[in-house]
């Protein structure tokens, strides 16, 4: 199924949070983001960079901010999406359409776009000085065939 059909299905299928995710979609699109579909969710980009995604689950729906760690979060409503795994993403959860404050949601989205324009992002590459320890079988193969060691730059 192509992305436009996946997006249409996400927003039109019968779900308890159908109206809520539709409202979030309208707010995001008014901010000028490009709609696509990634990781089973409508995802919105600016300059081909992920800004937000809209999600729905059994007990809540919400908006993910891919670099939410950089948001000022004056309302203190953002949560780490997955505490151990997620470093930059933040999640704003809603349990009803009535919880959506359109002005505040737009302010958060606008700040996320501005942060992207500034180039804010986490550098998750860890540098280490640890010496690589090769398994004995791999070491023996390298010893037999020196060319393979060169190819793998060990």
């Amino acid at each position: 199924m192509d992305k436009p059909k996946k997006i249409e299905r996400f927003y039109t299928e019968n779900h308890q949070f159908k109206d809520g995710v539709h409202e979030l979609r309208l707010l995001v699109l008014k901010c000028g983001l490009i709609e696509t579909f990634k990781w089973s969710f409508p995802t919105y980009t600016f300059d081909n960079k992920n800004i937000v995604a809209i999600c729905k689950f059994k007990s809540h729906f919400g908006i993910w901010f891919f670099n939410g760690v950089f948001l000022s979060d004056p309302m203190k409503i953002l949560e780490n999406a997955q505490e151990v795994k997620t470093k930059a993403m933040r999640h704003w959860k809603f349990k009803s359409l009535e919880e959506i404050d359109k002005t505040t949601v737009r302010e958060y989205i606008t700040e996320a776009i501005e942060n992207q324009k500034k180039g804010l992002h986490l550098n998750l590459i860890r540098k280490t000085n640890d010496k690589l320890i090769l398994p004995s079988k791999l070491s023996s193969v390298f010893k037999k065939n020196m060319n393979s060691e060169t190819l793998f730059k060990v």
Side-chain angles (χ1 to χ4, degrees), residues 41 51-55 57 62-66 81 89-91:
F41 297 101
I51 304 297
V52 299
I54 295 175
C55 55
F57 299 99
I63 186 167
W64 285 324
F65 293 89
F66 285 90
M89 185 179 283
R90 296 296 180 266
H91 187 176

Side-chain angles (χ1 to χ4, degrees), residues 17 20-21 24 27 55 57 59-63 65 77 91-102 105:
F17 300 122
V21 294
L24 289 177
L27 291 169
C55 55
F57 299 99
S59 62
H60 69 276
F61 66 101
I63 186 167
F65 293 89
I77 44 84
H91 187 176
W92 187 348
K93 294 179 182 177
F94 302 98
K95 294 191 177 187
S96 71
L97 174 64
E98 293 74 31
E99 290 183 12
I100 298 173
D101 177 342
K102 295 177 188 179
V105 171

Side-chain angles (χ1 to χ4, degrees), residues 101-114:
D101 177 342
K102 295 177 188 179
T103 301
T104 305
V105 171
R106 263 194 305 269
E107 288 169 357
Y108 275 66
I109 296 168
T110 301
E111 184 181 355
I113 294 167
E114 291 305 313

Side-chain angles (χ1 to χ4, degrees), residues 31-136:
C31 292
L33 297 176
I34 304 300
E35 187 173 59
T36 187
F37 198 83
K38 301 179 183 182
W39 309 289
S40 302
F41 297 101
T43 302
Y44 299 85
T45 65
F46 176 81
D47 281 347
N48 293 316
K49 300 289 183 182
N50 299 327
I51 304 297
V52 299
I54 295 175
C55 55
K56 59 183 176 183
F57 299 99
K58 289 180 182 178
S59 62
H60 69 276
F61 66 101
I63 186 167
W64 285 324
F65 293 89
F66 285 90
N67 278 309
V69 69
F70 296 109
L71 294 174
S72 60
D73 192 15
M75 304 293 291
K76 304 295 182 220
I77 44 84
L78 298 179
E79 300 175 19
N80 188 312
Q82 286 184 309
E83 200 60 47
V84 176
K85 293 181 180 182
T86 307
K87 305 298 180 204
M89 185 179 283
R90 296 296 180 266
H91 187 176
W92 187 348
K93 294 179 182 177
F94 302 98
K95 294 191 177 187
S96 71
L97 174 64
E98 293 74 31
E99 290 183 12
I100 298 173
D101 177 342
K102 295 177 188 179
T103 301
T104 305
V105 171
R106 263 194 305 269
E107 288 169 357
Y108 275 66
I109 296 168
T110 301
E111 184 181 355
I113 294 167
E114 291 305 313
N115 286 345
Q116 180 57 49
K117 288 178 182 178
K118 293 175 189 173
L120 297 180
H121 68 282
L122 282 183
N123 184 358
L124 299 177
I125 298 173
R126 294 186 190 126
K127 294 183 180 181
T128 180
N129 292 328
D130 294 344
K131 183 171 171 55
L132 179 64
I133 300 172
L134 295 176
S136 59

Side-chain angles (χ1 to χ4, degrees), residues 132-148:
L132 179 64
I133 300 172
L134 295 176
S136 59
K137 287 185 179 182
L138 184 57
S139 292
S140 66
V141 169
F142 284 158
K143 287 178 184 174
K144 290 177 185 172
N145 183 350
M146 293 306 288
N147 188 36
S148 62

